[in-house]
Amino acid sequence: MHRARKLEPLPDNNGYFGQYGGQFVPEPLQNILDEITTAYNHFKDSPGFKKELSDLRKHYVGRPSPIYHCRSLSSKLGGGQIYLKREDLNHTGAHKINHCLGEALLAKRMGKKKIIAETGAGQHGVALATAAALAGLECDIYMGEVDMEKEHPNVVRMKILGTNVIPVGMGLRTLKEAVDAAFEGYMKDPINQFYAIGSVVGPHPFPMMVRDFQRVVGEEAREQILELTGRLPDYLVACVGGGSNAIGLFSAFLDDAAVRMYGVEPSGKGFKTGNHAATLTLGKPGVIHGFKCYVLQDAEGRPLPVYSIASGLDYPGVGPEHSYLKDIKRVEYRTISDSEALDAFFELSRVEGIIPALESAHAVAYAMKMARRMDNHETILVNCSGRGDKDIDYVAAKYGHQYGIN
Ligand SMILES: *Cc1c(COP(=O)(O)O)cnc(C)c1O
């Protein structure tokens, strides 16, 4: 059993969750980050900001997202009862709109003209482009040329939304170079621009701020599951890339000592192949992108290349709060492989009529594994972080033959 005492509210004033987090950045940037922290702390409790955010959550995003009891899947597995928090039903199809909306509203209140970010597969880019269009802000999204070709529909979406997609042609022309280019673009004019980080990563205050904007997922879910089942869930499960959808769900239950939590990382093609992104499972504490966390790194401390079938999960760092929750053993971190995630992707589609994002399929796969070993009165609440529309062409072309569709 976990101890029942309440966890301290974190981060501390310097942005630390235990030994993780902080601001490992040059001094001029520290000043800018402090300014964002001050503005955030000011607006987050102001009635005007809160009202605007909650109205948009309701009327624009479509919140609260429902909780759905997967009766057929649960009875087929013959064990615990699986419930899904349906973040896939949000406008734009995933949980990312929750923090993008918050960041865009904050940028606007701070008098910024433009929000900028990098994107890999384009999911963060599309959510941010959407929030920028809504808030009446300009938006620059930096994207590697290789990714632009691979993720063409998302490039078109961003352009339709009025965003300026900036191709990055350096190095491998993927996410890492896009981060470098976006950062360079940002530093040219930090007065008029706001860098919107896409997960609970980066220097303070981003891990705190993005968590707070995602916490609505857990707060709604807690109320909804109590109403549906009359008690708290026995287990929570969510996939972890940077960790924003997971912390959004977990943070509302951290004081409920009886609720056990699992974060699911991708073991990709298997640990032995090196093609994975199991940061909390195999990484060591280190500094990446301006903050301290578990990092997948080589002997010299350089970040290792990462891989997952789900492009939203392949990051060699992870949120500092997850790093802390692992060390204090409040959350357990497990892995699911590409092929297990694919099986879950098809199983949820065929048994429940819900096509999950490949990222979310990792959480579903782990919940399915757990459910088989559980009693049928026990409950698992899974964060279905996004819908799988973005993945169908890739899955059909690459794996369709294994599942009878090509
Ligand atoms: C981006 C993404 C993730 C991973 O990001 P987190 O910050 O770990 O939540 C998970 N699911 C979906 C659908 C995503 O788009």
Side-chain angles (χ1 to χ4, degrees):
M1 262 331 275
H2 298 282
R3 67 206 181 301
R5 99 176 147 77
K6 280 199 170 192
L7 297 172
E8 303 277 313
L10 290 172
D12 67 18
N13 285 336
N14 299 318
Y16 279 90
F17 303 84
Q19 63 161 311
Y20 304 103
Q23 293 177 337
F24 292 78
V25 297
E27 208 171 301
L29 190 53
Q30 242 172 48
N31 297 335
I32 295 164
L33 290 167
D34 289 348
E35 195 187 307
I36 297 172
T37 310
T38 307
Y40 173 67
N41 284 331
H42 171 73
F43 287 119
K44 81 174 160 72
D45 299 318
S46 84
F49 184 84
K50 277 164 68 174
K51 169 126 181 35
E52 188 175 8
L53 189 57
S54 75
D55 281 353
L56 288 172
R57 280 173 174 165
K58 181 167 174 194
H59 301 291
Y60 186 75
V61 180
R63 305 203 70 88
S65 63
I67 277 195
Y68 170 72
H69 182 191
C70 298
R71 284 194 182 80
S72 307
L73 180 64
S74 305
S75 87
K76 193 172 169 198
L77 295 168
Q81 303 302 310
I82 297 177
Y83 291 81
L84 300 180
K85 177 64 172 163
R86 300 289 311 275
E87 290 301 292
D88 57 311
L89 294 177
N90 294 341
H91 178 43
T92 68
H95 70 291
K96 285 195 172 74
I97 191 72
N98 299 330
H99 62 249
C100 287
L101 202 56
E103 288 179 307
L105 294 187
L106 177 64
K108 190 156 191 195
R109 299 227 169 194
M110 289 179 74
K112 308 289 182 189
K113 303 222 159 31
K114 188 191 273 186
I115 45 182
I116 76 166
E118 74 287 340
T119 195
Q123 295 308 112
H124 177 51
V126 169
L128 199 63
T130 302
L134 172 72
L137 292 164
E138 291 173 47
C139 184
D140 282 358
I141 298 291
Y142 294 78
M143 193 169 183
E145 284 172 354
V146 170
D147 289 335
M148 281 181 72
E149 207 165 298
K150 253 173 48 192
E151 310 290 343
H152 186 66
N154 276 343
V155 175
V156 176
R157 270 186 202 106
M158 288 187 272
K159 289 184 176 172
I160 290 173
L161 290 161
T163 278
N164 187 17
V165 182
I166 300 170
V168 179
M170 300 175 298
L172 296 175
R173 299 181 293 149
T174 60
L175 182 61
K176 185 188 167 298
E177 292 77 21
V179 175
D180 296 341
F183 190 70
E184 214 171 284
Y186 175 59
M187 289 313 284
K188 281 187 191 139
D189 184 9
I191 304 293
N192 290 304
Q193 305 187 107
F194 185 97
Y195 198 139
I197 291 184
S199 187
V200 283
V201 298
H204 181 64
F206 285 95
M208 168 182 79
M209 207 162 75
V210 171
R211 173 201 63 195
D212 293 353
F213 290 137
Q214 285 296 344
R215 194 181 155 96
V216 65
V217 174
E219 280 171 352
E220 285 175 8
R222 198 171 185 285
E223 208 170 289
Q224 290 166 315
I225 197 97
L226 280 171
E227 192 181 312
L228 267 178
T229 68
R231 61 186 193 86
L232 291 172
D234 295 299
Y235 303 95
L236 304 178
V237 180
C239 65
V240 177
S244 66
N245 87 86
I247 210 74
L249 178 66
F250 296 169
S251 62
F253 294 86
L254 284 174
D255 290 333
D256 300 308
V259 180
R260 293 184 64 172
M261 308 180 191
Y262 293 94
V264 183
E265 301 190 304
S267 55
K269 295 177 182 166
F271 291 153
K272 283 197 206 109
T273 66
N275 292 312
H276 64 82
T279 309
L280 288 156
T281 309
L282 293 179
K284 292 195 178 61
V287 172
I288 186 170
H289 296 143
F291 71 108
K292 190 172 174 194
C293 64
Y294 277 85
V295 181
L296 281 170
Q297 50 191 302
D298 65 16
E300 276 80 55
R302 283 174 304 226
L304 287 166
V306 281
Y307 161 85
S308 166
I309 190 174
S311 52
L313 300 182
D314 58 359
Y315 182 58
V318 67
E321 191 164 8
H322 286 290
S323 303
Y324 171 74
L325 292 169
K326 172 188 161 78
D327 284 5
I328 66 163
K329 299 189 164 63
R330 180 63 187 92
V331 180
E332 292 164 71
Y333 295 89
R334 299 291 153 84
T335 60
I336 281 293
S337 68
D338 281 6
S339 67
E340 290 172 313
L342 267 173
D343 282 348
F345 175 91
F346 278 99
E347 191 69 1
L348 192 69
S349 300
R350 290 174 179 183
V351 178
E352 296 289 355
I354 297 170
I355 304 176
L358 282 172
E359 291 81 2
S360 322
H362 284 72
V364 174
Y366 191 70
M368 285 168 56
K369 256 190 182 175
M370 287 174 68
R372 288 193 188 95
R373 306 188 303 252
M374 288 161 51
D375 289 339
N376 62 13
H377 65 270
E378 290 186 291
T379 55
I380 316 175
L381 175 57
V382 182
N383 199 357
C384 187
S385 54
R387 67 172 89 115
D389 303 36
K390 66 182 180 59
D391 299 313
I392 55 173
D393 291 338
Y394 173 78
V395 168
K398 192 122 190 260
Y399 302 98
H401 57 285
Q402 291 173 31
Y403 293 90
I405 51 173
N406 275 327

